[in-house]
Amino acid sequence: MTFHDLVVNAERLLADLRDLSVFGRNAGGGIDRASFSAADATAREWLAGRCAEAGLEVMTDAVGNIFVSSPRLEEGIAHHPAVWTGSHIDAVPDGGAFDGALGVIAAIEVLRTLHEAGTGLTRPVRAVSFSDEEGSFAHLFGSSAIARGFGVDQLEAMIGRDGARLAEALPSALTVSLADAAAVGPPPEGVAAYVELHIEQGSLLEASGVPIGVVTGIVAIGGGTVRFRGRADHAGTTPLDRRQDAGLAASEFAVALPALASATSADAVVTTGIMRFDPAGSNIVPGGAEVSVDFRDVELERAIDLGNRIAASASEIASRRGVGVEIEFEETVPGARMNDAVRGAIAGAAAGLGLDAIDIRSGAGHDAQNMALIAPTGMIFVPSVGGRSHSPAEYTRDDDVVRGASVLLRTVLALVRG
Ligand code: GLV
Ligand code: MN
Ligand code: MN
């Protein structure tokens, strides 16, 4: 048998995807698996066990990225630039079972299939699971560390969604220091190519009836937190015109955002996914309010421009309402164009399997946009039922999962051949 005749083991792939979904599953059926949480730790342990059973080797770097390799396939070529494939196993709060998990499990299945077939590859293939893609601490954290790097001071300043400091969460989860984490970067030999299989998370593929999307590019993403500071007062005795109501400032700000995005471009979107009042009591005028902001556009300059307008709007609302404001935005992550050769390899792989494919743009962020900074990069999308994602309703049919992994296997083989 030649490598070209290989097929993934559909049953094993689907079973692993189901088994991974147990970790962090909540009573409502959603998945709570933030990076460096207890659920993440058990998922990592399970993943390492599955790899070890298959004879694969697992290495975790100092920011929690997991690399899986086949010693047998790498004999004599271990230091050559490798083809990487993967995604992430962390999930948004109350997330679904496919976002990220599909790309990691399919990558391991591809590597396992190649490993079982024996030797003869001219480049190493590595499966990778990037840590904290969903930004419990920083959006696309693990791949950012590899492609762009973090200084110790940046790592020091990272506060998680639940208020924990990365400086405590990371060393206790991985027994590493922040200096170790700051030293993470691209491998010295480089990366030959990166390809990621992911669910679409939108409804274009389903609507077009086409099973495979060849991603053309990924949006730029910016955002962070805006904090309004007013004064806590009695809800019954403080006249309306004497209040410094941070909650109302935050609410007005959130309502104003969509118009700012629409005025920037037809592609721009903005979301306030978190709003917290402090104190939060039904009979207290909120003295403090915190709002998360996530803004995106296909063009980096437009995304940055939108970020500036959002900041200006927060300042204007705050000064008109007599409250203070503090704006803390992360550096806007640039979008990325996918590499033509990798796109060609994906399209060729789909055609070779008799599957229709269409070009598609990603409105979601992916580790691929960081990997595009250091390697020729591409992404394969498979349909999301109803376009649902970042929700327990997220679902991709078994046939589509298997099709996606099959296209991934053939793409990886094409990239190994170069
Ligand atoms: C990642 O899922 C993102 O697009 O935020
Ligand atoms: Mn996601
Ligand atoms: Mn994802």
Side-chain angles (χ1 to χ4, degrees):
M1 175 152 83
T2 68
F3 277 115
H4 196 73
D5 299 320
L6 289 177
V7 288
V8 295
N9 180 329
E11 233 168 83
R12 185 170 62 181
L13 168 76
L14 293 167
D16 276 355
L17 196 54
R18 261 194 310 273
D19 289 351
L20 174 57
S21 76
V22 167
F23 303 105
R25 173 87 66 185
N26 61 34
I31 293 176
D32 291 312
R33 199 166 59 225
S35 257
F36 312 127
S37 64
D40 179 55
T42 48
R44 285 166 179 271
E45 214 172 291
W46 171 84
L47 200 69
R50 288 298 286 151
C51 292
E53 281 166 34
L56 302 174
E57 248 171 32
V58 175
M59 191 281 280
T60 302
D61 72 13
V63 293
N65 295 315
I66 300 169
F67 295 91
V68 186
S69 56
S70 155
R72 179 195 294 170
L73 291 174
E74 296 201 8
E75 250 177 56
I77 56 166
H79 299 297
H80 292 204
V83 172
W84 289 12
T85 176
S87 193
H88 59 98
I89 59 165
D90 64 310
V92 292
D94 203 24
F98 295 83
D99 176 1
L102 170 64
V104 172
I105 294 300
I108 288 169
E109 178 55 32
V110 163
L111 183 58
R112 200 159 41 186
T113 304
L114 296 173
H115 174 82
E116 286 166 352
T119 55
L121 292 185
T122 50
R123 277 178 181 158
V125 174
R126 308 250 163 84
V128 51
S129 176
F130 292 107
S131 70
D132 198 20
E133 192 268 0
E134 299 289 7
S136 156
F137 289 93
H139 201 201
L140 311 177
F141 173 66
S143 56
S144 296
I146 289 177
R148 299 184 294 138
F150 290 114
V152 171
D153 50 335
Q154 285 173 296
L155 297 167
E156 226 10 293
M158 285 180 191
I159 309 281
R161 227 180 247 138
D162 60 359
R165 292 173 59 225
L166 180 77
E168 278 157 26
L170 193 63
S172 76
L174 300 173
T175 60
V176 293
S177 70
L178 288 193
D180 296 330
V184 169
E189 70 277 13
V191 178
Y194 175 70
V195 58
E196 176 167 351
L197 170 64
H198 206 283
I199 55 166
E200 182 200 335
Q201 308 181 271
S203 52
L204 285 173
L205 287 177
E206 188 182 57
S208 60
V210 171
I212 298 294
V214 182
V215 176
T216 54
I218 305 174
V219 289
I221 305 176
T225 306
V226 175
R227 292 185 189 86
F228 293 94
R229 301 230 178 280
R231 200 179 66 191
D233 275 309
H234 194 288
T237 60
T238 318
L240 290 173
D241 61 356
R242 300 240 197 106
R243 296 182 179 195
Q244 289 168 255
D245 189 329
L248 281 184
S251 305
E252 181 183 343
F253 171 67
V255 170
L257 291 178
L260 292 180
S262 304
T264 303
S265 89
D267 294 317
V269 288
V270 63
T271 305
T272 47
I274 304 171
M275 192 181 290
R276 289 194 194 102
F277 292 172
D278 176 29
S282 60
N283 57 357
I284 314 169
V285 176
E290 189 176 290
V291 187
S292 71
V293 181
D294 173 306
F295 57 87
R296 305 177 183 213
D297 198 295
V298 281
E299 297 292 339
L300 176 63
E301 295 71 30
R302 291 203 310 239
I304 290 172
D305 178 44
L306 176 54
N308 291 336
R309 287 169 190 240
I310 289 170
S313 164
S315 301
E316 188 277 318
I317 290 167
S319 78
R320 181 160 38 77
R321 289 185 170 272
V323 300
V325 68
E326 202 180 283
I327 298 158
E328 213 176 87
F329 284 170
E330 289 171 24
E331 194 181 329
T332 300
V333 181
R337 269 176 51 79
M338 297 292 94
N339 176 271
D340 287 343
V342 181
R343 284 172 57 184
I346 297 167
L353 291 163
L355 298 172
D356 287 339
I358 52 167
D359 284 349
I360 188 166
R361 196 170 62 204
S362 176
H366 298 287
D367 294 305
Q369 70 202 91
N370 278 326
M371 288 304 296
L373 298 171
I374 61 163
T377 291
M379 287 193 78
I380 304 161
F381 274 179
V382 288
S384 293
V385 172
R388 303 294 305 280
S389 186
H390 282 187
S391 141
E394 185 176 276
Y395 181 62
T396 291
R397 294 199 166 85
D398 286 358
D399 284 357
D400 287 321
V401 166
V402 175
R403 287 187 190 108
S406 305
V407 172
L408 181 67
L409 172 60
R410 288 215 178 192
T411 304
V412 165
L413 283 170
L415 295 173
V416 165
R417 282 193 294 270

